Amino acid sequence: MYINGFDDRIDRVDWQPSAVPTRKVVDSVLGSRQPRQPRSAVLSLAGAVTGLVIGVGLKGMVLPGSPWGPGTGLAGAIGGSLALAGLAASVPGALFAAVKGQQAPRLMQFASMNLLMIMMVLWS
């Protein structure tokens, strides 16, 4: 059936100008929305501190005077390995957070601050 005008369409859906939405319609609209996850300064701070620790560990691997720098033996091997493991976990973690950013914005918040701080320490 072809409907010619706007009034015909309104009549077809039985819309009344004074009608209010039913509770069922309101619940279906509100129920389809994702609950918002509030942003937290704690996650940004945790990402920044973690990034600073990893960045200092990586930077200390090449500085001759550091306790885990070149020529420090076992301490250098352990400190360097931990720093490299942190970097190896941070990069895929940030990529995963970028892919799942819409579903997990809090993970993205942590991962972006983490990588930002690693890069800032390494570039300083």
Side-chain angles (χ1 to χ4, degrees), residues 11-75:
D11 291 338
R12 181 166 168 88
V13 296
D14 296 327
W15 181 74
Q16 299 170 357
S18 64
V20 296
T22 63
R23 188 73 179 156
K24 182 180 177 184
V25 171
V26 172
D27 288 342
S28 69
V29 169
L30 293 178
S32 66
R33 294 186 180 181
Q34 294 278 341
R36 293 194 60 169
Q37 294 180 348
R39 301 237 178 215
S40 172
V42 174
L43 289 173
S44 293
L45 183 61
V49 170
T50 305
L52 284 172
V53 169
I54 294 169
V56 167
L58 291 170
K59 187 107 176 190
M61 286 174 53
V62 296
L63 294 176
S66 72
W68 58 91
T72 55
L74 184 61

Side-chain angles (χ1 to χ4, degrees), residues 45-117:
L45 183 61
V49 170
T50 305
L52 284 172
V53 169
I54 294 169
V56 167
L58 291 170
K59 187 107 176 190
M61 286 174 53
V62 296
L63 294 176
S66 72
W68 58 91
T72 55
L74 184 61
I78 292 172
S81 297
L82 288 174
L84 288 174
L87 180 65
S90 294
V91 173
L95 292 174
F96 178 74
V99 170
K100 296 290 185 180
Q102 292 294 328
Q103 291 87 14
R106 301 179 93 189
L107 177 63
M108 184 65 180
Q109 185 180 0
F110 175 84
S112 62
M113 283 300 293
N114 185 20
L115 271 187
L116 175 68
M117 296 313 283

